[in-house]
Amino acid sequence: MLNPFNLPDWLVEAWEQNSHDYRFTIRCKTPIACCPFCGGADLSKHGILTPEFRDLPMHGKRVGLLIQRQRYRCHHCRRTCVDPTPGLDDQRRVTERLKIFVAQQVLTRPFTAVATEVGLDEKTVRAVFREAVDAWDRTRTLVTPKILGIDEVVLGQPRCVLTNVEEQTLLDILPHRTYEPVLAYLTHLPQPDQVQWVTMNMWRPYRDAVHRALPHVSIVVDKFHVLRMANAALDTVRKQVRTSLSPKERRTLMHDRFLLLRRAHELAPMDQMDLCQ
């Protein structure tokens, strides 16, 4: 029968469908020729296993593969063996190409949505994604940046984010933002002498870790955090000055807080006059 899903090592024996699913019964084109344990060629058939695997969705429907997997007994070592499953993952009961599809889809979609689309349990989707991330991480080449950025993002809990500021690329996201994991990451940077500047917020563990692992670099505090503290100090002074004003003067300066927060090029002529008073 014609193979409708382009798995070259398998033959389709039968197929059926309903409104949500396809199911194909398939068998391997190249059955086992000798015992994988002792190399003996004296094999006898010993039943058929029929596990079901999941494959890529097709025509908007989930795809199940019912494998006719011949089982054999070796007359030499008396052990049993089965036909190979090329292109399939026996542990996850999925095709290898479905694992690639799942890993790519969950980068932009929820685990539950992908699980529903392909007909897998959400836990399996998460496990496949973790395996893909581990594989990607093993092939990743870390390039030490000239300007290292350290910040954080909240993903369930605050996590340290490390970036290459010049290239505007992400280097890594650590599980925590505490001193120990940040120090461990910085200590294992290849060619640490390449780092010349580190930009960060005012979180003390970041500064302490940089001083310990990269004592030669210059630390630059992010402009956002400097402006935030300057604005807070300015607002404190404004409130103190208002307490010494008369009710009429306070009404005149009712919106002075927003006036002080504006940039110079945003000020109208009247606003500039108010600031000079």
Side-chain angles (χ1 to χ4, degrees), residues 12-128:
V12 176
E13 299 292 328
W15 68 281
E16 56 185 334
Q17 66 173 317
N18 56 35
S19 57
H20 300 290
D21 297 89
Y22 285 109
R23 174 187 266 189
F24 295 91
T25 301
I26 64 176
R27 63 178 175 84
C28 185
K29 286 183 179 180
T30 55
I32 194 170
C34 60
C35 176
F37 304 107
C38 69
D42 190 7
L43 303 175
S44 62
K45 293 183 178 180
H46 193 64
I48 295 180
L49 303 178
T50 57
E52 184 167 358
F53 286 65
R54 284 290 173 182
D55 193 22
L56 292 173
M58 185 169 61
H59 307 151
K61 298 182 180 182
R62 297 167 299 198
V63 175
L65 304 178
L66 191 64
I67 311 297
Q68 289 187 339
R69 197 174 184 190
Q70 183 66 54
R71 190 174 181 222
Y72 305 90
R73 180 177 291 278
C74 176
H75 290 280
H76 180 71
C77 66
R78 307 304 298 172
R79 300 180 70 174
T80 59
C81 53
V82 292
D83 281 337
T85 54
L88 307 183
D89 183 336
D90 283 327
Q91 181 182 2
R92 302 295 179 196
R93 296 288 181 92
V94 296
T95 60
E96 293 292 344
R97 66 186 184 184
L98 179 59
K99 291 170 61 176
I100 297 173
F101 175 81
V102 167
Q104 293 173 342
Q105 289 296 306
V106 296
L107 293 173
T108 57
R109 300 172 57 195
F111 289 106
T112 51
V114 177
T116 300
E117 180 183 0
V118 301
L120 291 174
D121 185 87
E122 182 187 351
K123 292 181 180 179
T124 302
V125 172
R126 291 179 181 273
V128 168

Side-chain angles (χ1 to χ4, degrees), residues 1 7 9 36 50 54 60 67 82 100 117 143 152 158 168 172-173 181 189 195 209-211 237 244 249 251 274:
M1 180 181 292
L7 286 176
D9 297 310
T50 57
R54 284 290 173 182
I67 311 297
V82 292
I100 297 173
E117 180 183 0
V143 177
E152 65 263 343
Q168 298 185 5
D172 210 336
I173 299 179
L189 275 175
V195 183
V210 170
H211 280 165
V237 174
S244 63
E249 290 173 327
R251 285 194 298 272
D274 290 340

